Amino acid sequence: MSYPKDFLWGGATAAYQCEGAWNEDGKGLGEWDEFSHKSPLNLNGATGDISSDFYHRYKEDIDMMVAGNQNTYRFSISWARILPEGRGEVNPEGIDFYNRVIDYCLEKGVVPNVTLFHYDLPNTIALQGGFANRDTVDAFVEYAKICFTAFGDRVRLWCTINEPKYYAYCTNMVGNYPPNHRQDFNRFFKVVYHEALATAKTVAAYHEMNLPGTIGVVHDNSNVELAPQTKEKELIKLRGDLFYNSMTLDTALKGCLPASLLLMMQENGFDTSYMKFEDSIAFAKGKVDWLGLNVYNRFYLTDYSEGETEVFHNNLGARSKMKEGIRIKDWFETTDDPTTHRNLWGREIYPQCMYNTLVEIRNTYGDIPVYITENGHGQYETADENGYVDDQPRIDMMQSYIDQMYKAMEAGCNVRGYYAWSPMDLYSWVNGYEKRYGLVRIDFDNPDLPRTPKKSYYWFKNLIADYFTNKAGR
């Protein structure tokens, strides 16, 4: 069946980006609290201290989703709100908050899709090396089990880690996320590896608890494409997939580490001593039930030309002409496709990547259930005198990606849901509050934080209604 009757349509957020209440009700200090308050690398000077204030206004925001025909909500749990020191004593008020959110979702007919880690380590864990420290794997599994015990009777969709590779990339290659390492390949690979191991051990623990749901991992779009001028096509495609995808996808979906990745790392002098033989058992036991894909862009590669390794990233928007990409000496480099557009933050807008990545996942890994766990469009916005935003560019972008998702479903891809990033405006990491993704506007200059649905909110509402009227069950 191409169009499931029980397809999930909803919105996605992350705890630090929307909750606020950064130091309330026993929550511990998170690495983003420390970074946003103190680091000169916080380029826009913004913090998530209050943000959308979802902590106090979750009912209002969930009601807005329900009124927009959304039947699921993907959100993350703040590790430091559950375990203020990362390990040890549990904060009962943190448990109570997420119980309230989950129960309200269920009361309103909304399926909660819960992510355990979305970029926000407890600061105590971060100071010990975060996921570069193998001890964090065990700490994460302990934290996950606490969440499974508290919420697992009602939450049927779990995700271990949001975008393991992209988190490692921003923290260790770009250096724009704390702890702000730049071009540190050894730490990048070590973090991705430990995240993969933490995912496998957490998935195994979840299955051992015999809970009535499923668990997956969320990967940022895996589609590697080659520019037509590329000379060593097979080699560049292999290197690109190994760098961007294989450690996350092969361990989670095949239950093993790709041998070619180890070979590439060893040939380039990277440390692999932290990769233990016994971990192969954990990977084999920890295959996920489903895969989440955050689909925004592809990785458009060609042969390495010249110059030292350099990472290109834009957190300044229109104030910078930087295009998102990377050059890795002697490996490959990203290049520009003159036929496609980019947003003001230098990221390519390429709807075809939705179809291409879904087909590639099916062809490579089989009939794994897939959720599009994020898709959206960041832009500058100006509201009218009533707070209303005509965000037609967002509608055009998201519709074009959804059309490609439908095309992939018709081709047999097992897509089970789609989540817009995001249901309301929120803190956009080091981009602050200028870069907006929400279907609902929040006036951050007003202490009451009024919510106003944008044009895209009504478009999405009607699109969902059309799906269940004209497509579901076909």
Side-chain angles (χ1 to χ4, degrees), residues 266-296:
Q266 290 165 354
E267 285 182 345
N268 286 272
F270 295 130
D271 176 28
T272 59
S273 62
Y274 52 87
M275 299 181 179
K276 308 296 184 184
F277 174 75
E278 60 267 24
D279 295 343
S280 61
I281 300 172
F283 290 133
K285 290 174 61 179
K287 289 191 285 186
V288 297
D289 302 315
W290 56 269
L291 175 67
L293 288 174
N294 293 351
V295 180
Y296 294 98

mmCIF file of all heavy atoms in Angstrom, residues 266-296:
data_model
loop_
_atom_site.group_PDB
_atom_site.id
_atom_site.type_symbol
_atom_site.label_atom_id
_atom_site.label_comp_id
_atom_site.label_asym_id
_atom_site.label_seq_id
_atom_site.Cartn_x
_atom_site.Cartn_y
_atom_site.Cartn_z
ATOM 1 N N GLN A 266 42.348 3.752 9.129
ATOM 2 C CA GLN A 266 43.702 3.285 9.403
ATOM 3 C C GLN A 266 44.686 3.768 8.341
ATOM 4 O O GLN A 266 45.814 4.168 8.668
ATOM 5 C CB GLN A 266 43.704 1.758 9.514
ATOM 6 C CG GLN A 266 43.000 1.250 10.769
ATOM 7 C CD GLN A 266 42.661 -0.225 10.727
ATOM 8 O OE1 GLN A 266 42.852 -0.889 9.701
ATOM 9 N NE2 GLN A 266 42.140 -0.760 11.832
ATOM 10 N N GLU A 267 44.257 3.768 7.088
ATOM 11 C CA GLU A 267 45.135 4.242 6.013
ATOM 12 C C GLU A 267 45.473 5.720 6.165
ATOM 13 O O GLU A 267 46.530 6.175 5.715
ATOM 14 C CB GLU A 267 44.473 4.007 4.654
ATOM 15 C CG GLU A 267 44.502 2.557 4.193
ATOM 16 C CD GLU A 267 43.866 2.387 2.821
ATOM 17 O OE1 GLU A 267 43.166 3.330 2.375
ATOM 18 O OE2 GLU A 267 44.072 1.324 2.205
ATOM 19 N N ASN A 268 44.592 6.466 6.825
ATOM 20 C CA ASN A 268 44.821 7.892 7.002
ATOM 21 C C ASN A 268 45.370 8.236 8.389
ATOM 22 O O ASN A 268 45.416 9.419 8.763
ATOM 23 C CB ASN A 268 43.522 8.661 6.737
ATOM 24 C CG ASN A 268 43.179 8.715 5.264
ATOM 25 O OD1 ASN A 268 43.613 9.612 4.553
ATOM 26 N ND2 ASN A 268 42.393 7.740 4.799
ATOM 27 N N GLY A 269 45.764 7.207 9.138
ATOM 28 C CA GLY A 269 46.433 7.435 10.408
ATOM 29 C C GLY A 269 45.533 7.836 11.558
ATOM 30 O O GLY A 269 46.008 8.381 12.561
ATOM 31 N N PHE A 270 44.230 7.558 11.457
ATOM 32 C CA PHE A 270 43.318 7.910 12.537
ATOM 33 C C PHE A 270 43.314 6.828 13.622
ATOM 34 O O PHE A 270 43.466 5.636 13.333
ATOM 35 C CB PHE A 270 41.897 8.112 12.014
ATOM 36 C CG PHE A 270 41.767 9.279 11.080
ATOM 37 C CD1 PHE A 270 41.133 9.135 9.860
ATOM 38 C CD2 PHE A 270 42.288 10.511 11.410
ATOM 39 C CE1 PHE A 270 41.011 10.206 8.985
ATOM 40 C CE2 PHE A 270 42.180 11.598 10.548
ATOM 41 C CZ PHE A 270 41.538 11.439 9.340
ATOM 42 N N ASP A 271 43.103 7.262 14.833
ATOM 43 C CA ASP A 271 43.055 6.357 15.973
ATOM 44 C C ASP A 271 41.803 5.480 15.885
ATOM 45 O O ASP A 271 40.696 5.973 15.684
ATOM 46 C CB ASP A 271 43.021 7.182 17.264
ATOM 47 C CG ASP A 271 42.882 6.336 18.516
ATOM 48 O OD1 ASP A 271 43.331 5.169 18.493
ATOM 49 O OD2 ASP A 271 42.339 6.847 19.512
ATOM 50 N N THR A 272 41.960 4.186 16.031
ATOM 51 C CA THR A 272 40.818 3.265 16.099
ATOM 52 C C THR A 272 40.895 2.394 17.353
ATOM 53 O O THR A 272 40.163 1.412 17.469
ATOM 54 C CB THR A 272 40.763 2.359 14.847
ATOM 55 O OG1 THR A 272 41.998 1.611 14.750
ATOM 56 C CG2 THR A 272 40.559 3.169 13.579
ATOM 57 N N SER A 273 41.742 2.775 18.300
ATOM 58 C CA SER A 273 41.968 1.934 19.480
ATOM 59 C C SER A 273 40.738 1.818 20.369
ATOM 60 O O SER A 273 40.621 0.864 21.146
ATOM 61 C CB SER A 273 43.135 2.492 20.303
ATOM 62 O OG SER A 273 42.831 3.804 20.784
ATOM 63 N N TYR A 274 39.817 2.776 20.271
ATOM 64 C CA TYR A 274 38.607 2.750 21.095
ATOM 65 C C TYR A 274 37.560 1.785 20.546
ATOM 66 O O TYR A 274 36.532 1.534 21.182
ATOM 67 C CB TYR A 274 38.013 4.153 21.197
ATOM 68 C CG TYR A 274 37.811 4.822 19.856
ATOM 69 C CD1 TYR A 274 36.635 4.634 19.131
ATOM 70 C CD2 TYR A 274 38.794 5.638 19.315
ATOM 71 C CE1 TYR A 274 36.459 5.229 17.894
ATOM 72 C CE2 TYR A 274 38.623 6.241 18.078
ATOM 73 C CZ TYR A 274 37.460 6.041 17.375
ATOM 74 O OH TYR A 274 37.298 6.632 16.148
ATOM 75 N N MET A 275 37.781 1.259 19.347
ATOM 76 C CA MET A 275 36.846 0.310 18.735
ATOM 77 C C MET A 275 37.187 -1.094 19.228
ATOM 78 O O MET A 275 38.192 -1.675 18.824
ATOM 79 C CB MET A 275 36.929 0.387 17.214
ATOM 80 C CG MET A 275 36.577 1.749 16.657
ATOM 81 S SD MET A 275 36.671 1.795 14.835
ATOM 82 C CE MET A 275 36.184 3.486 14.510
ATOM 83 N N LYS A 276 36.374 -1.625 20.116
ATOM 84 C CA LYS A 276 36.647 -2.899 20.770
ATOM 85 C C LYS A 276 35.970 -4.063 20.028
ATOM 86 O O LYS A 276 34.870 -3.917 19.491
ATOM 87 C CB LYS A 276 36.149 -2.871 22.220
ATOM 88 C CG LYS A 276 36.652 -1.673 23.030
ATOM 89 C CD LYS A 276 38.164 -1.694 23.197
ATOM 90 C CE LYS A 276 38.624 -0.540 24.083
ATOM 91 N NZ LYS A 276 40.098 -0.473 24.193
ATOM 92 N N PHE A 277 36.633 -5.202 20.056
ATOM 93 C CA PHE A 277 36.084 -6.389 19.392
ATOM 94 C C PHE A 277 34.709 -6.745 19.943
ATOM 95 O O PHE A 277 33.798 -7.096 19.198
ATOM 96 C CB PHE A 277 37.048 -7.570 19.559
ATOM 97 C CG PHE A 277 36.494 -8.858 19.019
ATOM 98 C CD1 PHE A 277 36.443 -9.098 17.651
ATOM 99 C CD2 PHE A 277 35.997 -9.832 19.882
ATOM 100 C CE1 PHE A 277 35.913 -10.282 17.153
ATOM 101 C CE2 PHE A 277 35.469 -11.016 19.385
ATOM 102 C CZ PHE A 277 35.421 -11.240 18.021
ATOM 103 N N GLU A 278 34.560 -6.633 21.267
ATOM 104 C CA GLU A 278 33.282 -7.033 21.879
ATOM 105 C C GLU A 278 32.122 -6.117 21.468
ATOM 106 O O GLU A 278 30.945 -6.486 21.633
ATOM 107 C CB GLU A 278 33.406 -7.070 23.399
ATOM 108 C CG GLU A 278 33.794 -5.758 24.062
ATOM 109 C CD GLU A 278 35.296 -5.612 24.270
ATOM 110 O OE1 GLU A 278 36.072 -6.264 23.530
ATOM 111 O OE2 GLU A 278 35.687 -4.848 25.172
ATOM 112 N N ASP A 279 32.439 -4.952 20.939
ATOM 113 C CA ASP A 279 31.369 -4.056 20.487
ATOM 114 C C ASP A 279 30.593 -4.646 19.319
ATOM 115 O O ASP A 279 29.431 -4.281 19.095
ATOM 116 C CB ASP A 279 31.948 -2.699 20.074
ATOM 117 C CG ASP A 279 32.577 -1.938 21.236
ATOM 118 O OD1 ASP A 279 32.298 -2.294 22.396
ATOM 119 O OD2 ASP A 279 33.335 -0.994 20.971
ATOM 120 N N SER A 280 31.229 -5.537 18.570
ATOM 121 C CA SER A 280 30.533 -6.145 17.433
ATOM 122 C C SER A 280 29.305 -6.918 17.893
ATOM 123 O O SER A 280 28.300 -6.991 17.181
ATOM 124 C CB SER A 280 31.483 -7.057 16.651
ATOM 125 O OG SER A 280 31.971 -8.108 17.471
ATOM 126 N N ILE A 281 29.382 -7.485 19.097
ATOM 127 C CA ILE A 281 28.223 -8.200 19.650
ATOM 128 C C ILE A 281 27.103 -7.213 19.958
ATOM 129 O O ILE A 281 25.925 -7.469 19.680
ATOM 130 C CB ILE A 281 28.634 -8.980 20.910
ATOM 131 C CG1 ILE A 281 29.722 -10.000 20.561
ATOM 132 C CG2 ILE A 281 27.431 -9.666 21.549
ATOM 133 C CD1 ILE A 281 30.342 -10.681 21.764
ATOM 134 N N ALA A 282 27.480 -6.062 20.537
ATOM 135 C CA ALA A 282 26.481 -5.039 20.855
ATOM 136 C C ALA A 282 25.804 -4.524 19.597
ATOM 137 O O ALA A 282 24.573 -4.352 19.563
ATOM 138 C CB ALA A 282 27.138 -3.890 21.618
ATOM 139 N N PHE A 283 26.572 -4.292 18.549
ATOM 140 C CA PHE A 283 25.978 -3.820 17.294
ATOM 141 C C PHE A 283 25.012 -4.861 16.724
ATOM 142 O O PHE A 283 23.924 -4.516 16.253
ATOM 143 C CB PHE A 283 27.066 -3.495 16.271
ATOM 144 C CG PHE A 283 27.874 -2.272 16.595
ATOM 145 C CD1 PHE A 283 29.263 -2.284 16.515
ATOM 146 C CD2 PHE A 283 27.251 -1.090 16.983
ATOM 147 C CE1 PHE A 283 30.013 -1.159 16.807
ATOM 148 C CE2 PHE A 283 28.005 0.055 17.291
ATOM 149 C CZ PHE A 283 29.378 0.010 17.194
ATOM 150 N N ALA A 284 25.399 -6.115 16.780
ATOM 151 C CA ALA A 284 24.546 -7.179 16.235
ATOM 152 C C ALA A 284 23.237 -7.297 17.010
ATOM 153 O O ALA A 284 22.180 -7.607 16.430
ATOM 154 C CB ALA A 284 25.297 -8.508 16.254
ATOM 155 N N LYS A 285 23.271 -7.044 18.319
ATOM 156 C CA LYS A 285 22.074 -7.161 19.167
ATOM 157 C C LYS A 285 21.221 -5.900 19.159
ATOM 158 O O LYS A 285 20.088 -5.925 19.648
ATOM 159 C CB LYS A 285 22.494 -7.464 20.610
ATOM 160 C CG LYS A 285 23.076 -8.851 20.825
ATOM 161 C CD LYS A 285 23.587 -9.007 22.248
ATOM 162 C CE LYS A 285 22.478 -8.827 23.273
ATOM 163 N NZ LYS A 285 22.989 -9.012 24.661
ATOM 164 N N GLY A 286 21.765 -4.806 18.617
ATOM 165 C CA GLY A 286 21.096 -3.510 18.774
ATOM 166 C C GLY A 286 20.578 -2.889 17.508
ATOM 167 O O GLY A 286 20.594 -1.657 17.367
ATOM 168 N N LYS A 287 20.079 -3.692 16.583
ATOM 169 C CA LYS A 287 19.531 -3.134 15.346
ATOM 170 C C LYS A 287 18.180 -2.450 15.626
ATOM 171 O O LYS A 287 17.344 -2.975 16.366
ATOM 172 C CB LYS A 287 19.363 -4.226 14.286
ATOM 173 C CG LYS A 287 20.690 -4.729 13.731
ATOM 174 C CD LYS A 287 20.518 -5.614 12.517
ATOM 175 C CE LYS A 287 20.013 -6.981 12.884
ATOM 176 N NZ LYS A 287 19.990 -7.885 11.705
ATOM 177 N N VAL A 288 17.982 -1.312 14.987
ATOM 178 C CA VAL A 288 16.794 -0.502 15.248
ATOM 179 C C VAL A 288 15.561 -1.086 14.560
ATOM 180 O O VAL A 288 15.659 -1.878 13.618
ATOM 181 C CB VAL A 288 17.004 0.952 14.780
ATOM 182 C CG1 VAL A 288 18.139 1.605 15.558
ATOM 183 C CG2 VAL A 288 17.267 1.035 13.278
ATOM 184 N N ASP A 289 14.391 -0.643 15.034
ATOM 185 C CA ASP A 289 13.110 -1.056 14.446
ATOM 186 C C ASP A 289 12.701 -0.148 13.290
ATOM 187 O O ASP A 289 11.929 -0.558 12.424
ATOM 188 C CB ASP A 289 12.003 -1.012 15.508
ATOM 189 C CG ASP A 289 12.306 -1.894 16.697
ATOM 190 O OD1 ASP A 289 12.743 -3.043 16.487
ATOM 191 O OD2 ASP A 289 12.109 -1.439 17.847
ATOM 192 N N TRP A 290 13.175 1.080 13.308
ATOM 193 C CA TRP A 290 12.829 2.041 12.262
ATOM 194 C C TRP A 290 13.934 3.079 12.149
ATOM 195 O O TRP A 290 14.767 3.222 13.046
ATOM 196 C CB TRP A 290 11.483 2.716 12.533
ATOM 197 C CG TRP A 290 11.342 3.424 13.862
ATOM 198 C CD1 TRP A 290 10.867 2.883 15.024
ATOM 199 C CD2 TRP A 290 11.662 4.790 14.157
ATOM 200 N NE1 TRP A 290 10.877 3.829 16.024
ATOM 201 C CE2 TRP A 290 11.358 5.006 15.525
ATOM 202 C CE3 TRP A 290 12.172 5.852 13.418
ATOM 203 C CZ2 TRP A 290 11.544 6.240 16.153
ATOM 204 C CZ3 TRP A 290 12.370 7.085 14.045
ATOM 205 C CH2 TRP A 290 12.052 7.268 15.388
ATOM 206 N N LEU A 291 13.901 3.797 11.034
ATOM 207 C CA LEU A 291 14.889 4.833 10.782
ATOM 208 C C LEU A 291 14.184 6.163 10.600
ATOM 209 O O LEU A 291 13.200 6.272 9.866
ATOM 210 C CB LEU A 291 15.686 4.505 9.509
ATOM 211 C CG LEU A 291 16.698 5.564 9.052
ATOM 212 C CD1 LEU A 291 17.847 5.695 10.049
ATOM 213 C CD2 LEU A 291 17.228 5.228 7.658
ATOM 214 N N GLY A 292 14.687 7.184 11.286
ATOM 215 C CA GLY A 292 14.230 8.546 11.048
ATOM 216 C C GLY A 292 15.212 9.264 10.140
ATOM 217 O O GLY A 292 16.426 9.105 10.279
ATOM 218 N N LEU A 293 14.695 10.033 9.202
ATOM 219 C CA LEU A 293 15.534 10.820 8.297
ATOM 220 C C LEU A 293 15.133 12.293 8.384
ATOM 221 O O LEU A 293 13.955 12.633 8.213
ATOM 222 C CB LEU A 293 15.374 10.341 6.852
ATOM 223 C CG LEU A 293 15.993 8.992 6.493
ATOM 224 C CD1 LEU A 293 15.602 8.608 5.066
ATOM 225 C CD2 LEU A 293 17.503 9.025 6.632
ATOM 226 N N ASN A 294 16.108 13.129 8.685
ATOM 227 C CA ASN A 294 15.905 14.570 8.636
ATOM 228 C C ASN A 294 16.380 15.050 7.271
ATOM 229 O O ASN A 294 17.575 15.057 6.983
ATOM 230 C CB ASN A 294 16.691 15.259 9.751
ATOM 231 C CG ASN A 294 16.142 14.914 11.125
ATOM 232 O OD1 ASN A 294 15.080 14.303 11.252
ATOM 233 N ND2 ASN A 294 16.858 15.309 12.165
ATOM 234 N N VAL A 295 15.439 15.412 6.424
ATOM 235 C CA VAL A 295 15.741 15.637 5.008
ATOM 236 C C VAL A 295 15.699 17.129 4.688
ATOM 237 O O VAL A 295 14.641 17.754 4.730
ATOM 238 C CB VAL A 295 14.758 14.868 4.105
ATOM 239 C CG1 VAL A 295 15.093 15.103 2.637
ATOM 240 C CG2 VAL A 295 14.789 13.375 4.418
ATOM 241 N N TYR A 296 16.856 17.671 4.387
ATOM 242 C CA TYR A 296 16.971 19.060 3.966
ATOM 243 C C TYR A 296 17.747 19.195 2.655
ATOM 244 O O TYR A 296 17.389 19.981 1.793
ATOM 245 C CB TYR A 296 17.685 19.890 5.047
ATOM 246 C CG TYR A 296 16.919 20.012 6.339
ATOM 247 C CD1 TYR A 296 17.197 19.184 7.421
ATOM 248 C CD2 TYR A 296 15.912 20.964 6.486
ATOM 249 C CE1 TYR A 296 16.496 19.298 8.616
ATOM 250 C CE2 TYR A 296 15.202 21.086 7.675
ATOM 251 C CZ TYR A 296 15.507 20.244 8.738
ATOM 252 O OH TYR A 296 14.807 20.355 9.916
#
